[in-house]
């Protein structure tokens, strides 16, 4: 049995597995778990506030604000580009621990023996987008990238492993999980737009109406053992 077959046999029954290996698990987190996760993210952001990354070379600001949890965090700026580092770029402090509920999702869904090292927190307001890109700053490309979404639904676009070619969309709603794994690990993907008035969570300072938080969990370094 391949690792992928092992993974697929463990997935929740509502999981949709695309031909390319992309796995969408609608409503992986129920309403109570979504609220509990939001509270864990609030604690993490109190220690590691959202910052606005910039594109390498051009210095163009991202429309998404970000922070991280875990031993490593993903950052980007004009001078040094995309990278993982152990400290917040503004406070200089270590990133907070990955919340327990997030680690549980990794253990439930990732089908990977070692723990993730980075949990990127993306915050989208109504106007934010994420351009088409591959997640390829990790040495451990055998590990999946697991994403969890909270708040407004979004239009998530994905294509193939080159920039050219056909793309498809799917809607990611609050509580959904998505796995970029196997042949889908290096798919180009991005967020086209948020869908207004779709958040099932109450408005709050952390997650106002028409905004979205997405967490992506990554194994960065190749494990020696775990
Ligand atoms: O927000 C999302 O659903 C995607 C985020 C993403 O692709 C990333 O952080 O690399
Ligand atoms: Mn990505």
């Amino acid at each position: 049995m391949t690792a992928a077959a092992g993974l697929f046999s463990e997935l929740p029954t509502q999981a949709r597995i695309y031909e390319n290996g992309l796995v969408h698990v609608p409503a992986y987190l129920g309403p109570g778990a979504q609220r509990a996760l939001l509270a864990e993210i609030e604690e993490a952001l109190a220690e590691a506030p959202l910052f606005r990354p910039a594109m390498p070379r051009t210095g163009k600001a991202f429309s998404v604000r970000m922070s991280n949890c875990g031993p490593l965090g993903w950052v980007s700026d004009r001078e040094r580009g995309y990278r993982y580092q152990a400290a917040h770029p503004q406070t200089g402090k270590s990133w907070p621990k990955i919340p327990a509920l997030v680690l549980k999702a990794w253990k439930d869904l990732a089908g990977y023996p070692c723990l993730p090292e980075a949990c990127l927190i993306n915050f989208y307001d109504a106007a934010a987008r994420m351009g088409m890109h591959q997640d390829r700053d990790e040495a451990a490309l055998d590990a999946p990238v697991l994403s969890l979404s909270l708040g407004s639904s979004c239009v998530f676009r994905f294509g193939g492993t080159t920039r050219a070619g056909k793309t498809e969309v799917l809607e990611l709603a609050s509580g959904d999980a998505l796995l970029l794994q196997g042949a889908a690990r290096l798919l180009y993907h991005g967020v086209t737009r948020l869908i207004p008035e779709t958040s099932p969570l109450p408005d709050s300072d952390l997650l106002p109406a028409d905004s979205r938080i997405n967490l992506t969990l990554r194994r960065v370094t190749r494990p020696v053992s775990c």
Side-chain angles (χ1 to χ4, degrees):
M1 183 188 279
T2 64
L7 165 66
F8 293 165
S9 65
E10 311 264 312
L11 288 170
T13 51
Q14 75 273 30
R16 171 164 185 202
I17 303 163
Y18 287 76
E19 253 168 51
N20 58 19
L22 187 70
V23 179
H24 178 201
V25 188
Y28 167 69
L29 298 170
Q34 291 173 43
R35 280 194 294 273
L37 179 56
L38 201 57
E40 292 192 316
I41 295 168
E42 185 160 25
E43 273 183 42
L45 292 179
E47 270 185 68
L50 291 167
F51 59 93
R52 195 178 292 282
M55 294 294 287
R57 291 182 299 279
T58 63
K60 186 172 184 299
F62 280 49
S63 59
V64 174
R65 287 187 293 148
M66 296 180 177
S67 187
N68 290 272
C69 315
L72 292 170
W74 189 89
V75 300
S76 177
D77 54 32
R78 182 201 294 259
E79 295 74 25
R80 293 177 58 205
Y82 302 155
R83 63 194 185 277
Y84 284 95
Q85 64 182 40
H88 189 288
Q90 290 168 352
T91 68
K93 289 198 210 150
S94 305
W95 305 102
K97 283 217 254 338
I98 299 180
L101 269 169
V102 177
L103 287 178
K104 181 180 178 313
W106 179 268
K107 288 175 191 159
D108 279 356
L109 299 176
Y112 192 74
C114 301
L115 291 177
E117 294 168 299
C119 173
L120 174 61
I121 305 170
N122 290 310
F123 178 86
Y124 296 77
D125 64 20
R129 315 258 180 276
M130 191 176 285
M132 295 294 278
H133 65 279
Q134 291 172 299
D135 289 1
R136 54 180 307 159
D137 300 320
E138 302 77 28
L141 287 173
D142 60 323
V145 171
L146 170 62
S147 102
L148 296 173
S149 295
L150 291 173
S152 293
S153 298
C154 77
V155 177
F156 180 88
R157 183 173 293 279
F158 62 95
T161 52
T162 61
R163 231 176 230 292
K166 199 168 119 275
T167 61
E168 285 179 61
V169 291
L170 62 84
E171 217 172 285
L172 279 182
S174 196
D176 288 8
L178 189 77
L179 269 175
L180 297 180
Q181 66 87 42
R185 174 64 180 78
L186 286 174
L187 290 187
Y188 274 86
H189 60 279
V191 170
T192 310
R193 64 184 176 87
L194 266 48
I195 305 172
E197 292 176 40
T198 47
S199 179
L201 294 166
D203 292 4
S204 62
D205 288 348
L206 177 60
L207 192 64
D210 295 336
S211 61
R212 169 174 185 260
I213 288 177
N214 171 264
L215 307 178
T216 57
L217 283 160
R218 293 105 185 265
R219 175 78 202 186
V220 180
T221 62
R222 283 186 162 280
V224 180
S225 65
C226 49

